[in-house]
Amino acid sequence: MLSGRCLCNHVRYEFDEKTAVVQLHCHCKDCQRVTGSGKATVILFPTDAVRIRGAYKTYSTEGSEGSKVNRGFCAICGSQMFTFVDEIPGHVFIKAGGMDDTDWVDVDITCWGGSARQWLPADKSTSISEKNPPLPVQWSK
C-alpha cells in the first residue's frame, strides 16, 4: 500500500497502486481552475482499493460533458485530493500531487488536449484525446 495526504496532514489516504485503472493528465478548464495550474494529473482507482482517514468536504459541479463531478478537498487546508464522478460509480480519481511516492506513476492518456495552455502543452508521449476519453471502466448511463 502507498499513501498520500493533504498539506496539513488532516486527511490521509492509502491505496494499492497495482489496482490503478488509468492514469491521466487532464487539461480541461475545470482542472486548470481547481489546481491553479495548466493541468491535473489524476489516477483512477476502484474505491475499495483506497482507504481514506480524516474528514474531507466535497464541491459538486457539472463537468464539461454533463457528468456530475464531486471534488474532495481538506476542509482545513483546502488541498484538492479526490474526484468522484457519478457516472463512474465505485471509482475515485486521486490527484497524483498529494501522493507521498509517485515514482510508479506512468500516465497513459492526456485528455482535453485542445484546452492545454501554450506554456504547458499536452504530453505527446501519451495518447491525446480532445475531450474525455473512453475509460476502461463501465459507465452507468
Side-chain angles (χ1 to χ4, degrees), residues 14-88:
E14 294 178 326
F15 58 93
D16 180 354
E17 78 281 5
K18 294 183 265 343
T19 64
V21 175
V22 67
Q23 302 179 37
L24 304 162
H25 290 311
C26 183
H27 290 270
C28 77
K29 297 293 185 186
D30 286 348
C31 282
Q32 291 176 19
R33 284 185 180 93
V34 78
T35 63
S37 185
K39 70 175 187 224
T41 300
V42 295
I43 302 164
L44 184 65
F45 291 95
T47 52
D48 61 4
V50 178
R51 186 172 51 202
I52 301 171
R53 292 189 315 263
Y56 63 91
K57 291 189 174 191
T58 58
Y59 180 76
S60 298
T61 60
E62 184 175 307
S64 300
E65 294 185 325
S67 58
K68 185 172 180 190
V69 180
N70 308 286
R71 299 177 191 280
F73 62 95
C74 175
I76 296 171
C77 68
S79 296
Q80 290 280 328
M81 293 173 286
F82 316 113
T83 302
F84 302 92
V85 178
D86 285 4
E87 290 77 12
I88 312 175

Side-chain angles (χ1 to χ4, degrees), residues 44 47 84-93 135 137-140:
L44 184 65
T47 52
F84 302 92
V85 178
D86 285 4
E87 290 77 12
I88 312 175
H91 290 78
V92 57
F93 288 97
L135 295 175
V137 296
Q138 184 66 36
W139 293 75
S140 64

